[in-house]
Amino acid sequence: QVQLVESGPGLVKPSQTLSLTCTVSGGSITTNYYYWSWIRQPPGKGLEWMGAIAYSGSTYYSPSLKSRTSISRDTSKNQFTLQLSSVTPEDTAVYYCARELGVVAGTYDYWGQGTQVTVSS
């Protein structure tokens, strides 16, 4: 059973960098052919895919967020990390990490519980 758990600060100041870590258990982040994704949901809005890091280490980003998004991983810890720079209150959302099926893009079989991140001074 794959489990994903998000961790990181729940409050970030505007202009700073949001950093979240997803810790994966029950499966390796290097296993073919999965992608490890970050998705967020602002209050009252739908889910927004932010980006992903593949089993190979390749990264993919939403065009709207690419300029300030970075996803990395630590395979020794079976973790992957989201960094979102220059945050504004519009970045306030529940942030999820999830496992995405490489063969079926947009399909997620495991999700973290989500973590609320508020951008405020």
Side-chain angles (χ1 to χ4, degrees):
Q1 182 78 359
V2 175
Q3 293 181 319
L4 298 87
V5 179
E6 303 93 344
S7 62
L11 182 65
V12 183
K13 294 184 181 298
S15 82
Q16 294 188 336
T17 296
L18 180 159
S19 183
L20 296 173
T21 296
C22 184
T23 301
V24 179
S25 61
S28 173
I29 62 174
T30 63
T31 296
N32 300 353
Y33 295 96
Y34 297 110
Y35 292 71
W36 304 90
S37 302
W38 287 100
I39 304 103
R40 68 179 183 180
Q41 185 169 34
K45 298 183 179 180
L47 296 169
E48 178 185 21
W49 179 81
M50 302 181 69
I53 186 163
Y55 60 95
S56 63
S58 298
T59 52
Y60 306 86
Y61 301 104
S62 169
S64 64
L65 297 170
K66 184 177 181 179
S67 65
R68 58 192 187 99
T69 303
S70 179
I71 297 172
S72 58
R73 68 180 184 176
D74 185 338
T75 58
S76 69
K77 297 180 179 179
N78 215 36
Q79 296 177 328
F80 62 105
T81 299
L82 169 71
Q83 292 186 303
L84 183 67
S85 66
S86 303
V87 299
T88 73
E90 293 298 307
D91 294 310
T92 294
V94 176
Y95 285 75
Y96 299 92
C97 56
R99 190 172 78 169
E100 184 172 359
L101 305 181
V103 178
V104 189
T107 300
Y108 309 91
D109 57 356
Y110 291 96
W111 294 71
Q113 79 283 2
T115 186
Q116 172 71 47
V117 178
T118 299
V119 179
S120 176
S121 61

